[in-house]
Amino acid sequence: MSAWDRRQFLAHSAGLIAAAGALDAIGGGSMRASAANVPPNMPNSGLAPEWLADNVLHPVEVSGPDAEAIVGRLPGSRHLYLLPEGKGEHHQLGGFSLTRMARPIETGGIYEFMSFAGRSGAAMPRHLHRGSHTFIYVMGGEIELDLDGRLWHMKRADFANIPPGVAHGWTMRSDDASFALWSMNDRVGAAFIAMGLPSEGPEPPSNEPIAPERLADAAFVGDFMLIPESVARGEPTRVSNLLLPFRPGAYVLADGGGERFGYNTFLAKNANSNGQFLVITSEGSGVARPNDPFGMGVSRGVGPHFHARHTENFFGIDGETLTWAYGKAVPLRRGDFLQAPPRNMHGFHWVESYNRFLGLLTPGIFEPFFTGGKAGQNGVGGRSAGGEIPTVTSMINQHHGAAPGPPGGDFYMAMMMSVRGADGYPLDVHNHTLPLPPQDDLWVQAERG
């Protein structure tokens, strides 16, 4: 297997790291790395194959036409792409409009991303997913969520974590209700589209129950199991919880809740997802305040970089985030979605006085980058919870208690080697190793502030 093939294989399978150690232990002596080739903080450094250490520490990014961002449409392959709000694959089921924004063909079967919109009264019957972890983020209006036997009244930017096997269902309680739904694996979307028919756009249909035969089709083709109602549910409770639990299980968070580290706030950590994913909101300002002539209250963003072992996704909530997508400056606004698969160069800058986006990172090996293995401020939140807008001065380097150095290769190498990820290897963040493409003028202006 060539070095290039090995890099591609590693990007698709973080589990290869553990398997490689076992391979060496059963007789791969010719692949044994010398101590000089493996940094001292690498696990099992005497057993790690030399090519694996190279792929983990010195990966090569995707470049050329394969790295160019696709804007405005689903690419039909695992690619760097941006999808504006309302774009995607549309279906109508019962009283809902379903828009698929990331399908298994775009994610390699790792996860799916879709949005639901419906008028007041549109309802999804109580059900569970046997093997798929999902979570919900409310985009607008009001919904009523039946989660594990409790009814919750949810509004914009509220969050619900729904592990496999947990019964849930929902009812729209306003005509402008909509929410985003992520599901791990590749079988939940198939269940939902089996309940209805393709449509030309995202306009919700009239409120009609989903036909029983369609629900049966959903259970046959996807990860969907109906759960009959057994007791009266009573009145829903308005979501008010701000504290992120540190254990598996179903939970809800109000807008602004979670565990905060600088301008990043966790809505789900590895402890909540069994290591499958992280959910983070990032919020900050791209505009200096009048009493801040040096711009230290500006959170700006992060320059071009890539990850070799996990996918990073951005979903716009407030303001405008100028994303860098292999040289292109692509605005990310409310409802827009950007996927950055492994080895694809990306970055971002905040533009307006207040900006916020939701990040999904999968798998969850990058958690120590944000936490440094330390506790954050749980239940404090940012502006959305009534607090201050987090600033660059609040984003102190949690790893060593010192401010991070200037951007560039040294910065990323220092961050990578500062702590191990959840897979036991140095953190998965890398500066470019190949020449960058020509830079979009809009990005150059943002860099200059």
Side-chain angles (χ1 to χ4, degrees):
M1 184 183 290
S2 69
W4 184 258
D5 290 339
R6 284 193 290 265
R7 288 190 174 95
Q8 289 182 320
F9 186 56
L10 181 62
H12 286 276
S13 177
L16 182 62
I17 293 171
L23 176 65
D24 193 82
I26 61 174
S30 62
M31 299 177 69
R32 190 178 305 273
S34 68
N37 291 328
V38 182
N41 69 342
M42 291 279 283
N44 302 320
S45 59
L47 297 177
E50 185 171 358
W51 66 262
L52 183 59
D54 178 65
N55 277 285
V56 169
L57 294 174
H58 305 290
V60 176
E61 67 270 28
V62 177
S63 62
D66 290 339
E68 294 178 3
I70 293 175
V71 179
R73 63 177 176 85
L74 288 165
S77 61
R78 201 177 188 197
H79 206 97
L80 177 66
Y81 71 99
L82 183 134
L83 204 60
E85 182 181 21
K87 298 292 185 180
E89 179 187 290
H90 303 292
H91 298 262
Q92 290 185 346
L93 49 145
F96 297 104
S97 170
L98 167 67
T99 301
R100 303 179 80 192
M101 301 178 73
R103 306 167 298 182
I105 195 170
E106 277 86 34
T107 71
I110 297 173
Y111 72 96
E112 299 179 84
F113 172 47
M114 63 202 81
S115 65
F116 283 83
R119 297 184 177 88
S120 183
M124 177 64 64
R126 202 162 179 250
H127 63 280
L128 60 77
H129 309 295
R130 289 182 177 271
S132 303
H133 199 139
T134 65
F135 64 87
I136 284 174
Y137 190 87
V138 180
M139 298 163 59
E142 302 179 30
I143 73 167
E144 183 179 294
L145 178 67
D146 177 351
L147 181 63
D148 202 20
R150 293 195 63 180
L151 281 182
W152 297 101
H153 178 201
M154 303 183 72
K155 295 184 178 182
R156 183 176 185 266
D158 291 346
F159 174 87
N161 183 57
I162 310 173
V166 173
H168 61 285
W170 56 79
T171 303
M172 301 310 207
R173 292 304 185 197
S174 67
D175 287 340
D176 59 346
S178 63
F179 64 87
L181 184 146
W182 276 261
S183 64
M184 303 308 294
N185 305 322
D186 60 355
R187 299 189 63 232
V188 172
F192 286 133
I193 64 175
M195 298 179 193
L197 295 170
S199 65
E200 293 298 319
E203 183 68 19
S206 59
N207 287 343
E208 296 182 2
I210 301 171
E213 60 270 22
R214 292 287 190 177
L215 294 172
D217 290 342
F220 181 75
V221 303
D223 187 358
F224 183 89
M225 179 179 175
L226 275 177
I227 303 295
E229 293 285 349
S230 57
V231 294
R233 297 289 165 188
E235 291 298 315
T237 301
R238 173 72 185 106
V239 174
S240 60
N241 175 49
L242 295 176
L243 293 173
L244 177 69
F246 299 121
R247 63 184 185 279
Y251 61 86
V252 293
L253 286 173
D255 179 13
E259 187 183 18
R260 176 173 161 182
F261 294 84
Y263 51 71
N264 300 297
T265 302
F266 280 96
L267 307 186
K269 300 176 74 174
N270 281 318
N272 310 115
S273 71
N274 290 318
Q276 291 186 85
F277 59 83
L278 309 171
V279 184
I280 302 172
T281 58
S282 298
E283 57 181 342
S285 177
V287 178
R289 299 168 183 173
N291 61 348
D292 183 19
F294 299 104
M296 291 303 291
V298 179
S299 300
R300 295 299 184 196
V302 179
H305 65 284
F306 72 97
H307 312 291
R309 310 195 303 282
H310 73 273
T311 296
E312 186 169 17
N313 299 308
F314 302 81
F315 184 59
I317 304 172
D318 294 298
E320 179 178 318
T321 300
L322 190 67
T323 58
W324 187 96
Y326 195 61
K328 286 184 179 179
V330 185
L332 182 85
R333 303 183 180 95
R334 178 178 175 178
D336 297 347
F337 172 75
L338 175 73
Q339 172 180 270
R343 300 193 303 118
N344 281 261
M345 297 291 298
H346 61 281
F348 71 89
H349 274 306
W350 281 308
V351 175
E352 299 182 6
S353 60
Y354 177 71
N355 313 274
R356 178 168 53 152
F357 63 80
L358 188 75
L360 167 67
L361 289 71
T362 179
I365 59 176
F366 207 47
E367 182 176 306
F369 175 85
F370 302 99
T371 70
K374 301 178 182 179
Q377 295 175 289
N378 200 2
V380 174
R383 193 193 77 166
S384 59
E388 291 292 322
I389 300 175
T391 67
V392 70
T393 54
S394 71
M395 186 54 182
I396 302 300
N397 185 327
Q398 283 88 22
H399 309 282
H400 299 296
D410 291 343
F411 167 73
Y412 288 115
M413 179 61 74
M415 294 301 295
M416 183 178 72
M417 301 304 293
S418 65
V419 68
R420 296 185 189 183
D423 57 357
Y425 278 77
L427 285 175
D428 186 23
V429 57
H430 309 274
N431 191 47
H432 66 94
T433 65
L434 301 175
L436 290 175
Q439 303 300 292
D440 190 298
D441 289 341
L442 188 60
W443 179 264
V444 174
Q445 294 170 12
E447 284 275 79
R448 292 172 180 167

